[in-house]
Amino acid sequence: LEPSGVTSDTAGKFEFYGVAPGRYRLMAEHAGYPKTFYGARNAWAPGSILTLRAGQALSDVNIRMVAQAVISGQVLADDTPFYTSIYLMQQRYQNGRRQLTRVTSAGGEPGGTFSINKIVPGRYYLAAEVRASAPAAPGQTPQRFVLTYYPGVTDIGSAEAIELRSGQTVADLHWMVRKAAPTAISGSFL
């Protein structure tokens, strides 16, 4: 089936008419709020399936939306021209283990400025990955930018978590990305 939508009234009330029997996911979106699925435990979960039988009417189907949070700032590097990717990450359990998981990403503007919106409340980490647009000068030891976490560290254990509340804007986060000499692996295939 093709997606179908309706617009709610100013109180958030909505109604769908003439819906064929079947299985559906219900999603709400509104400016200043992340997309939210009916029955989802968090903004990244797919939510619950609504099963509609012939002649059935569902009522009191509610979706609780939470105002977005926003993070913005600037990633700094030496005077090498660069392109930046910013990653918003969160500690989550996967397969029974706690892991750092990428939630979303954003491309930085020239000069390293960035903004990420439509974030739900929670505890996050930021990381920057930089791709330099110019090679190292002749005679210099080659170095490359490495994934650098806010506030300018390469080890997640030293990274600073950012706690975001509903509707909060955290601006002016700045950190310097780090460089390291590339590593090499050598060996033989036997």
Side-chain angles (χ1 to χ4, degrees):
L1 288 175
E2 287 294 314
S4 178
V6 296
T7 301
S8 71
D9 64 17
T10 57
K13 305 256 186 236
F14 65 91
E15 289 186 79
F16 285 92
Y17 293 100
V19 179
R23 296 166 44 94
Y24 298 92
R25 288 197 190 280
L26 186 61
M27 188 230 8
E29 61 183 335
H30 183 67
Y33 293 81
K35 289 181 182 177
T36 307
F37 288 89
Y38 168 76
R41 292 187 321 211
N42 61 54
W44 300 282
S48 301
I49 302 269
L50 290 170
T51 302
L52 190 61
R53 295 182 303 278
Q56 181 182 13
L58 293 176
S59 60
D60 294 323
V61 176
N62 299 309
I63 299 176
R64 180 167 304 282
M65 299 184 75
V66 179
Q68 75 175 354
V70 177
I71 293 178
S72 64
Q74 184 178 23
V75 173
L76 307 168
D78 60 18
D79 55 0
T80 304
F82 64 94
Y83 300 96
T84 310
S85 293
I86 308 299
Y87 305 116
L88 185 69
M89 307 171 101
Q90 201 172 39
Q91 294 278 353
R92 294 187 181 165
Y93 284 93
Q94 293 180 342
N95 301 325
R97 293 181 36 217
R98 192 172 175 165
Q99 298 178 352
L100 191 62
T101 303
R102 187 180 304 172
V103 174
T104 191
S105 62
E109 298 293 323
T113 59
F114 70 92
S115 181
I116 303 174
N117 62 8
K118 296 197 175 184
I119 306 169
V120 297
R123 183 179 176 90
Y124 296 94
Y125 296 88
L126 282 172
E129 181 176 53
V130 171
R131 293 171 304 285
S133 62
Q140 288 186 335
T141 304
Q143 290 194 324
R144 64 177 180 84
F145 289 104
V146 294
L147 187 68
T148 306
Y149 300 95
Y150 176 78
V153 297
T154 57
D155 172 37
I156 186 61
S158 301
E160 185 177 311
I162 301 164
E163 193 75 39
L164 293 173
R165 295 182 309 278
S166 176
Q168 181 181 17
T169 296
V170 175
D172 297 325
L173 295 174
H174 295 83
W175 74 99
M176 180 72 82
V177 289
R178 304 290 175 215
K179 282 185 172 181
T183 55
I185 298 174
S186 62
S188 299
F189 291 108
L190 305 175

